[in-house]
Amino acid sequence: MEIVGNGFIARNLATVGERHPHATVLAAGVSSTSVLAEAEFAREAALVDEVTRRCRADGRLVVFLSSASHALYGTGDTAMAEDVELLPTSPYGRQKLRLERIVAESGAPWLVLRVSHAMGRWQRPHQLLPAFVQQVRSGSVRLYQGAHRDLIDAADLTRAVDGLLEEGVDNEVVNVASGRPLPIQAVIHGIEERLVLSARHEIVDGPLSMTRVSVEKLCKLLPEMQSVTDADYLDRMLDRYVPYY
């Protein structure tokens, strides 16, 4: 496959890069929900437009990695399926929905994957897991009260991309997530246990931030992905990646 991007997700996808020569995966662009700069959004839209035009001309399948975050789905404890009406209220969420529509209306065969918070090898220091590991090691962690994250192993995201392309899935939107948003304190406690350290927790007031998405479609298309919903999924990821960082 052709992979557009050079971040940690792109590096994980490169492990199956020799497969699926008919596909182009867009793993580049704005990745933070806090981004507000119109110039960054414009560059991302131009990239998506250029890649989808080229895929249409060459008859290639374009895979767009979108977001399963609160920016797109909002906050709530109801499992949100891919076909619910979306009314994003943030610039980031509106941008992702706009790009999904560009991909779907491009005339190229397409696949949109709404990905939750991925973690794994090759993350940059500011990203969630390496940043929290460093904070715990420093002795002080800053947490937002009410914050939750649905975490997906980048290796499982790679497995989902590989499996969906192998099955010939196209012209679909699929959530790639665990379906289990966890309080961010659970991640910190897990890191502390593995490092045998206890950091001071600075709790910052904030509203409940929890997004629950449905992974029923993903698990129906790829039954082997049911493992991401296991109760010990976070523990398995922390066992794997805390020593790495």
Side-chain angles (χ1 to χ4, degrees):
M1 69 177 75
E2 176 192 18
I3 302 169
V4 179
N6 56 14
F8 92 99
I9 289 178
R11 291 187 67 181
N12 277 273
L13 289 171
T15 61
V16 295
E18 294 183 359
R19 296 167 58 81
H20 318 296
H22 69 294
T24 293
V25 182
L26 264 164
V30 176
S31 60
S32 173
T33 58
S34 63
V35 170
L36 300 174
E38 284 297 329
E40 291 193 44
F41 290 146
R43 282 194 295 271
E44 182 182 38
L47 175 65
V48 171
D49 185 63
E50 185 273 324
V51 170
T52 53
R53 285 176 183 271
R54 177 162 51 82
C55 287
R56 180 181 62 193
D58 297 341
R60 296 178 61 80
L61 173 74
V62 57
V63 182
F64 177 62
L65 301 187
S66 185
S67 173
S69 71
H70 64 89
L72 193 65
Y73 276 117
T75 295
D77 199 28
T78 300
M80 306 289 277
E82 294 85 349
D83 59 355
V84 299
E85 182 182 6
L86 296 173
L87 298 170
T89 58
S90 74
Y92 178 88
R94 289 191 293 270
Q95 169 78 350
K96 291 305 179 189
L97 187 57
R98 173 192 173 198
L99 297 180
E100 287 186 11
R101 289 170 175 163
I102 289 174
V103 170
E105 296 170 3
S106 67
W110 57 273
L111 179 62
V112 168
L113 303 183
R114 292 180 181 157
V115 183
S116 63
H117 296 269
M119 69 180 192
R121 293 183 182 273
W122 304 303
Q123 285 193 279
R124 295 171 181 169
H126 70 277
Q127 292 176 312
L128 187 143
L129 184 59
F132 276 155
V133 168
Q134 181 55 41
Q135 287 183 49
V136 169
R137 293 182 66 189
S138 75
S140 179
V141 179
R142 194 166 190 260
L143 303 171
Y144 284 90
Q145 184 71 37
H148 291 66
R149 292 292 182 271
D150 181 321
L151 298 170
I152 186 78
D153 191 330
D156 286 324
L157 169 57
T158 298
R159 189 159 60 104
V161 172
D162 189 34
L164 292 168
L165 294 180
E166 183 69 23
E167 292 297 319
V169 177
D170 63 4
N171 299 343
E172 295 280 0
V173 178
V174 182
N175 290 330
V176 181
S178 73
R180 300 178 66 245
L182 299 172
I184 205 67
Q185 286 89 341
V187 180
I188 295 298
H189 290 317
I191 293 171
E192 290 176 323
E193 288 177 1
R194 285 154 182 83
L195 294 179
V196 196
L197 293 172
S198 182
R200 179 177 64 86
H201 295 185
E202 178 191 353
I203 307 298
V204 179
D205 288 339
L208 177 67
S209 175
M210 180 175 69
T211 303
R212 187 181 301 277
V213 299
S214 171
V215 293
E216 181 179 349
K217 185 174 184 178
L218 173 67
C219 294
K220 182 176 180 180
L221 291 167
L222 297 175
E224 64 272 21
M225 293 300 298
Q226 187 69 40
S227 62
V228 304
T229 68
D230 292 345
D232 66 344
Y233 187 58
L234 174 63
D235 285 327
R236 298 203 310 264
M237 283 192 287
L238 294 178
D239 286 343
R240 184 176 302 122
Y241 298 122
V242 169
Y244 177 80
Y245 287 109

